[in-house]
Amino acid sequence: MSPPVPSKILTDDVSLLMVLIDTNPHFWSSIKPHFSFSKFLSHVLAFLNSILLLNQLNQVVVLATGINSCGYVFDSSSGSVSQRAESLLPKLEEFAENDESLSERDDDSGNGVGSSLLSGSLSMALCYIQRVFRSGPLHPQPRILCLHGSPDGPGQYVAIMNSIFSAQRSMVPIDSCVIGIQHSAFLQQASYITGGVYLKPQQLDGLFQYLATVFATDLHSRNFLRLPKPVGVDFRASCFCHKNTIDMGFICSVCLSIFCKHQKKCSTCGSTFGQAKTLDPSASQQR
Amino acid sequence: MADKQQQVVVKRARHKSSVKDPGTPGVLKMTKDRFTFMANDPSSPVKLNVEFRTIKGHKFTKDGTKQALLNLTQDQGGNYIFEFENFPDRNVCKDFVASAIALSGEAGRTVPEKSAVPIQDEQLSAAEMERRIKLLQEDSDLQKLHKQFVIGGILSEAEFWATRKKLLEQNYSRRPKQRVALKNDMWSTKPLADGQSNRVTFNLTPEIILQIFAEKPAVRQAYLNFVPNKMTEKEFWTKYSRAEYLHSTKNVIAAAAEAAEDEELAVFLKQDDMLVNEARKKIRQVDPTLDMEADEGDDYMHLPIQDHGLPRNDNKDVLDSQYEPYRRSFSQHLNQHAAVVLQGRVIDVELGDTRSVAEALARTKHAELAKDASDVYLDKERLERISRMTEIEDLQAPRDPAVAPLSIKDPRDYFDSQQANAFSTLGDTVSGAKQLKCSVSTREAYCSLKECISEIKFQGLTEPTINSEVAFKVLNGLAQNISSNKYHLGRNPNESILDSLPKITREELLLHWSSIQELLKHFWSSYPITTKYLLTKATKLKDAMSQIYPKLQEIKESVQSDLRHQVSLLVQPMLQSSVFMDQAFCCRL
């Protein structure tokens, strides 16, 4: 598990916060009576501004997670002066337009809320962080905050796990604030493995308070603070063949791909499997 | 004294039911596989006809005591006591009984093997038993499990080890024991010469003998041929020592003279033909990619004594060719010695018996020869090897990428995270998926999204951002949440509750966990219950499980009060599993 991030040459509490906002329109329309996107945005914008106020050297980057694309909508360090968070709004509108244009025309069915492209925005955030790492020893400590509400798409399991592992490797904690109805197994695992905080707020209209209390703390201060810990983590994986969430399955011993049914050949690495052992041990126990 | 080959023994004896009993007089008749006793009095009920197969042992009183008794004991605890008139009689019977029991024991052993394999007993070899014991000794957790189940009678040995075959095999082929290699110092050919008398003493130890046999196959062959037919071992070694002495004096003429007289001595003095053949074979097998020029010139056995082309003194050239076979070259001897030492010990025989050592060496050499001769693939292999060595790397196809080692984590690290939430998250996801339904088309959804964004753009953020009551509630909720997890040490969410328990409790919990897993494994593998055996097995497992239940309760209570809730969360699935097992068992029909 990841040890606390060692302090860099800047003062300890300088942070680079990557915020991933879920802009899945289906999700937001389904949650409309409880919480609206505008309220959400107002909480988040206030939060981002307060982060920028905490320290002059703090940096905030916001990515929007759509259902067809992901994009950067805000970077506080662009421009000569640190910008206020509200300047993300036009970009966000543009992004929503773009995302809409990418969706297929005849997809008007109301068959439940799809998942947003969390894996894509995680990867983009990690790429940005890598660039920051290579900019020299003087940089803030990066962390990722996911504001996510859409359900998990088992089809993204592999990609998300890969990004989680690379985050673990770069020692970048992934915090998760789940605003949807149900818990997200992927984000639970992400926070668990990378050493971040996972929270599912009980009251969504107090979102700002949650964000300011739990997610505003920089990595150095987290050593002295006690933050909420989830009761347990759902470690279930999804199979590679059908993308179903499974508890028990078959695993390739070469590449560790997961399958729900016995296969002759691994689809990922191509290794052939031997004879399956008889699955009915009671037959062998018959004396 | 009785003849050992005697088929039948007939003696007068008294049959007693106990030592004090005066006994019934009669005649005891013993044959190879049974004994019969007929009482003198025809009306007496004592008539015995017992097979020696059932007799497992015999006891007897010492010669010279009051009674000459012989007690034949059976497997199930029954015994037959006979009193004889005198000790010699008793001893005859005793010897006969001993041989009869031995005979029937052997016969008896072969019979059950042909019949059906017994259910409970396993035919274990000693090696298998050893492996298991070693495995148990090394892994204390396994030993605890083994003690609990097998010795507690819940599982049988066979069942316990059935799933652990991999462990046993692995263990077996693991570390071979270190062995002592051959000594590198050459046996000094300078014997102890007693300056006063004309005696020369050689010391031969079994180790030296082994080395001699390994280095000089001709001597070995001679030993096998001559001893014990033509001469005793001592004579053999005396002759050999004489030959060595002659060599050490470097007096070739004298050596030739003595060889002409004594045929056997000649064997030691001449060149070793077997060695020569071996050397030739080795030259042929040299890998041409190492030394393309290896040929007979490199055959160190055939070098003229000029020592690799270095010019020697002229006086040696004068000697006749008839003395050639009697020369010895130190370099040849050294090379051969080095080759033998590098080969190491090829046989495992006890060094005491010279003959067996010689035979064992001869056997290995024969085996090697036979293998080489019959090895059709030897040439093919050589060609393959050559082609592999002469590969040009640039022209090769790209190889498979190197494999990175796996990082497999100990499942115990995930122990506590898995326990508490296994059921609740399941419930959440199931119900959650049902709730979230989007009845709006994509276009409309996007529209509303964009509307929200423009709303903020024009209206700005709400003031205040958040209602103070709501904020207060949130803070309270968070504080409560955090304080309920207060005893999770530290800020690292990955530290487990297990580490905060005292060590003994932790070990116990983990042991219970692994025993429950073992029990469940065996329980479910015996389903569906179709035979009586499986039924008894399942009952035993269920009972064992129910015994763990109070132990877990105990642990829960023994823990400090602040940790109690966490521990009960950990323990809960274990308790549930015992409940489920009970239910499953009851509903099995």
Side-chain angles (χ1 to χ4, degrees):
Chain A
M1 309 303 156
S2 69
V5 180
S7 44
K8 303 278 188 337
I9 300 181
L10 291 175
T11 45
D12 301 350
D13 52 356
V14 179
S15 47
L16 160 63
L17 180 63
M18 313 286 303
V19 183
L20 310 183
I21 297 184
D22 189 0
T23 59
N24 183 349
H26 297 287
F27 164 69
W28 284 114
S29 37
S30 66
I31 206 173
K32 219 168 186 176
H34 312 284
F35 198 47
S36 74
F37 191 59
S38 46
K39 278 207 213 131
F40 170 74
L41 270 184
S42 58
H43 286 275
V44 172
L45 290 175
F47 169 66
L48 295 178
N49 281 329
S50 49
I51 293 280
L52 291 168
L53 283 173
L54 277 175
N55 191 313
Q56 266 201 323
L57 298 170
N58 273 353
Q59 266 182 268
V60 174
V61 175
V62 181
L63 284 113
T65 316
I67 52 177
N68 297 315
S69 60
C70 312
Y72 296 96
V73 292
F74 176 72
D75 187 345
S76 68
S77 55
S78 63
S80 52
V81 176
S82 209
Q83 304 180 21
R84 283 177 64 98
E86 289 81 2
S87 53
L88 74 80
L89 290 170
K91 286 240 186 90
L92 192 60
E93 221 172 348
E94 225 180 277
F95 173 80
E97 288 270 355
N98 198 14
D99 205 37
E100 185 182 5
S101 65
L102 287 173
S103 63
E104 278 143 20
R105 282 297 135 200
D106 47 358
D107 186 19
D108 274 349
S109 52
N111 57 351
V113 178
S115 56
S116 54
L117 296 178
L118 180 61
S119 56
S121 45
L122 268 178
S123 315
M124 288 171 77
L126 286 168
C127 287
Y128 190 94
I129 289 174
Q130 279 300 318
R131 205 183 73 185
V132 167
F133 278 155
R134 279 157 228 258
S135 67
L138 224 61
H139 56 79
Q141 293 176 26
R143 64 180 192 277
I144 300 179
L145 169 62
C146 279
L147 294 163
H148 203 68
S150 319
D152 290 335
Q156 296 180 42
Y157 174 73
V158 181
I160 291 185
M161 289 314 286
N162 284 338
S163 13
I164 292 173
F165 290 134
S166 60
Q168 182 190 23
R169 208 119 184 260
S170 332
M171 299 202 292
V172 173
I174 300 181
D175 300 330
S176 331
C177 182
V178 176
I179 45 188
I181 307 287
Q182 69 271 39
H183 284 279
S184 158
F186 291 162
L187 287 176
Q188 274 180 345
Q189 290 191 45
S191 302
Y192 181 80
I193 296 175
T194 56
V197 179
Y198 174 89
L199 182 69
K200 184 171 182 303
Q202 304 296 85
Q203 288 176 282
L204 285 174
D205 46 354
L207 182 63
F208 175 75
Q209 189 61 61
Y210 284 107
L211 292 175
T213 315
V214 179
F215 295 108
T217 53
D218 57 274
L219 295 177
H220 180 71
S221 312
R222 286 189 190 188
N223 295 339
F224 318 116
L225 295 173
R226 228 188 274 282
L227 293 172
K229 184 182 143 147
V231 188
V233 183
D234 182 3
F235 281 112
R236 286 175 307 157
S238 23
C239 70
F240 284 36
C241 40
H242 306 105
K243 315 293 184 198
N244 299 328
T245 315
I246 53 174
D247 281 19
M248 297 233 299
F250 297 84
I251 300 198
C252 170
S253 42
V254 176
C255 62
L256 299 183
S257 321
I258 304 169
F259 303 101
C260 53
K261 290 203 191 70
H262 174 66
Q263 312 253 353
K264 288 249 165 50
K265 203 166 100 121
C266 172
S267 52
T268 320
C269 65
S271 38
T272 44
F273 300 132
Q275 276 293 321
K277 285 209 166 100
T278 157
L279 291 171
D280 183 20
S282 64
S284 64
Q285 291 287 332
Q286 293 272 353
R287 297 282 179 100
Chain B
M1 280 302 289
D3 182 8
K4 279 194 183 149
Q5 310 292 330
Q6 198 168 11
Q7 295 295 322
V8 176
V9 165
V10 181
K11 293 279 177 232
R12 283 190 188 286
R14 296 171 97 87
H15 172 257
K16 302 159 95 107
S17 52
S18 73
V19 178
K20 296 259 176 18
D21 177 26
T24 19
V27 174
L28 175 66
K29 179 168 161 188
M30 288 198 272
T31 59
K32 234 180 3 183
D33 53 2
R34 63 178 63 243
F35 68 88
T36 59
F37 179 80
M38 296 283 290
N40 288 340
D41 181 7
S43 62
S44 155
V46 179
K47 270 198 190 48
L48 295 175
N49 184 350
V50 184
E51 291 190 17
F52 273 116
R53 218 159 21 114
T54 60
I55 303 290
K56 288 302 166 212
H58 63 293
K59 296 188 223 170
F60 47 88
T61 54
K62 266 200 183 145
D63 283 6
T65 54
K66 272 191 290 188
Q67 297 169 315
L69 295 179
L70 179 64
N71 183 355
L72 300 172
T73 51
Q74 277 188 318
D75 211 11
Q76 290 92 356
N79 55 3
Y80 303 98
I81 307 180
F82 295 101
E83 184 187 354
F84 294 87
E85 288 163 5
N86 50 39
F87 283 101
D89 271 355
R90 199 279 310 275
N91 289 342
V92 165
C93 291
K94 176 184 77 146
D95 293 334
F96 190 81
V97 162
S99 59
I101 291 179
L103 260 169
S104 63
E106 281 166 16
R109 243 179 278 137
T110 53
V111 171
E113 272 170 17
K114 288 184 206 147
S115 62
V117 177
I119 296 179
Q120 295 303 335
D121 304 335
E122 241 186 322
Q123 298 290 359
L124 285 178
S125 64
E128 175 83 22
M129 281 303 294
E130 240 185 76
R131 259 183 267 167
R132 289 183 182 182
I133 292 173
K134 210 165 93 170
L135 201 59
L136 284 178
Q137 275 170 358
E138 286 171 8
D139 188 354
S140 69
D141 286 335
L142 194 65
Q143 192 180 34
K144 277 189 226 157
L145 273 181
H146 183 263
K147 200 167 103 168
Q148 191 179 355
F149 291 134
V150 178
I151 305 206
I154 300 174
L155 292 173
S156 77
E157 277 276 353
E159 285 159 1
F160 186 77
W161 291 105
T163 51
R164 294 190 164 88
K165 286 210 173 73
K166 195 109 189 276
L167 275 179
L168 286 171
E169 276 164 25
Q170 215 179 39
N171 213 16
Y172 187 52
S173 54
R174 236 191 328 177
R175 286 164 270 142
K177 277 192 279 200
Q178 260 189 337
R179 295 176 299 173
V180 180
L182 292 171
K183 282 219 185 91
N184 196 18
D185 51 317
M186 290 168 66
W187 182 45
S188 152
T189 48
K190 285 269 184 277
L192 302 162
D194 196 341
Q196 289 155 347
S197 63
N198 281 336
R199 275 164 150 258
V200 170
T201 332
F202 285 80
N203 276 332
L204 284 175
T205 64
E207 184 74 24
I208 292 180
I209 290 179
L210 169 67
Q211 220 158 344
I212 292 175
F213 281 164
E215 288 178 28
K216 303 184 186 166
V219 173
R220 183 183 71 224
Q221 193 60 39
Y223 182 87
L224 285 172
N225 291 343
F226 295 159
V227 177
N229 305 337
K230 285 204 196 158
M231 54 175 92
T232 65
E233 192 166 332
K234 190 142 180 246
E235 285 172 20
F236 180 81
W237 290 119
T238 319
K239 284 229 163 95
Y240 178 73
S241 317
R242 177 137 192 87
E244 282 299 311
Y245 176 69
L246 283 170
H247 277 302
S248 73
T249 56
K250 297 211 189 340
N251 191 346
V252 181
I253 301 172
E258 289 226 16
E261 283 172 34
D262 190 347
E263 190 188 288
E264 281 124 28
L265 200 57
V267 174
F268 299 136
L269 291 170
K270 282 215 181 112
Q271 301 270 16
D272 194 338
D273 278 326
M274 294 170 77
L275 257 188
V276 162
N277 284 337
E278 265 180 44
R280 277 218 190 90
K281 218 185 248 61
K282 280 192 200 158
I283 296 291
R284 274 204 287 269
Q285 283 181 355
V286 167
D287 188 353
T289 62
L290 279 180
D291 183 358
M292 286 179 82
E293 283 192 12
D295 64 351
E296 289 205 1
D298 291 311
D299 178 1
Y300 54 81
M301 289 313 291
H302 270 141
L303 286 175
I305 312 290
Q306 280 94 344
D307 279 322
H308 267 284
L310 291 173
R312 295 283 264 153
N313 307 358
D314 291 347
N315 50 4
K316 296 285 184 197
D317 293 341
V318 173
L319 281 173
D320 257 331
S321 60
Q322 66 164 288
Y323 297 127
E324 274 304 309
Y326 302 105
R327 280 192 209 266
R328 210 52 98 63
S329 153
F330 182 68
S331 58
Q332 286 174 357
H333 192 195
L334 185 60
N335 280 335
Q336 174 61 10
H337 173 78
V340 166
V341 168
L342 283 176
Q343 202 180 25
R345 283 183 196 277
V346 288
I347 56 172
D348 263 330
V349 186
E350 277 289 314
L351 291 180
D353 182 10
T354 320
R355 187 163 184 90
S356 61
V357 168
E359 281 173 354
L361 275 172
R363 265 202 301 272
T364 45
K365 282 290 182 298
H366 270 303
E368 269 177 36
L369 278 175
K371 194 171 77 109
D372 285 344
S374 68
D375 204 348
V376 185
Y377 298 105
L378 192 64
D379 277 336
K380 191 170 160 202
E381 196 201 303
R382 280 183 68 229
L383 285 175
E384 230 176 281
R385 204 170 53 206
I386 294 169
S387 66
R388 240 202 338 245
M389 297 291 287
T390 51
E391 263 172 20
I392 303 175
E393 280 172 3
D394 293 343
L395 300 180
Q396 297 304 316
R399 294 252 168 88
D400 290 328
V403 179
L406 290 179
S407 145
I408 303 222
K409 303 225 185 270
D410 189 1
R412 289 184 188 188
D413 287 346
Y414 293 87
F415 181 68
D416 52 343
S417 330
Q418 291 219 339
Q419 302 318 305
N421 225 27
F423 296 100
S424 59
T425 16
L426 200 58
D428 275 348
T429 39
V430 167
S431 61
K434 289 192 189 137
Q435 283 180 23
L436 215 54
K437 270 211 172 81
C438 179
S439 49
V440 173
S441 77
T442 316
R443 223 160 80 85
E444 284 172 23
Y446 272 111
C447 262
S448 68
L449 199 73
K450 282 185 278 191
E451 262 173 40
C452 293
I453 299 175
S454 5
E455 200 185 305
I456 300 196
K457 252 178 33 176
F458 295 125
Q459 294 177 7
L461 302 177
T462 53
E463 188 79 36
T465 316
I466 187 170
N467 198 340
S468 56
E469 284 152 10
V470 176
F472 191 60
K473 250 168 62 177
V474 166
L475 276 175
N476 268 341
L478 276 177
Q480 204 178 41
N481 183 10
I482 294 172
S483 63
S484 71
N485 296 341
K486 179 160 71 149
Y487 296 99
H488 287 255
L489 297 168
R491 49 280 165 208
N492 192 350
N494 302 324
E495 285 205 18
S496 72
I497 185 69
L498 271 184
D499 292 333
S500 59
L501 292 170
K503 193 152 185 244
I504 303 176
T505 321
R506 178 168 179 264
E507 294 293 327
E508 265 182 39
L509 268 181
L510 286 173
L511 178 64
H512 284 308
W513 181 247
S514 44
S515 7
I516 290 181
Q517 279 186 324
E518 184 81 13
L519 283 173
L520 281 174
K521 205 164 46 165
H522 284 278
F523 183 73
W524 289 114
S525 74
S526 58
Y527 261 72
I529 300 186
T530 44
T531 68
K532 191 159 185 303
Y533 169 76
L534 290 175
L535 184 61
T536 42
K537 184 176 169 193
T539 326
K540 272 197 274 185
L541 291 170
K542 185 176 82 75
D543 293 334
M545 181 71 106
S546 52
Q547 280 170 7
I548 297 188
Y549 186 88
K551 288 194 201 148
L552 286 175
Q553 296 285 64
E554 244 179 65
I555 291 182
K556 260 207 314 201
E557 265 131 48
S558 71
V559 156
Q560 271 179 310
S561 60
D562 39 6
L563 290 173
R564 203 164 289 176
H565 177 63
Q566 301 300 328
V567 173
S568 60
L569 277 180
L570 278 180
V571 162
Q572 191 200 17
M574 297 196 231
L575 297 172
Q576 274 181 327
S577 59
S578 77
V579 170
F580 285 150
M581 199 199 242
D582 276 346
Q583 287 181 349
F585 189 67
C586 294
C587 308
R588 72 190 179 280
L589 305 164

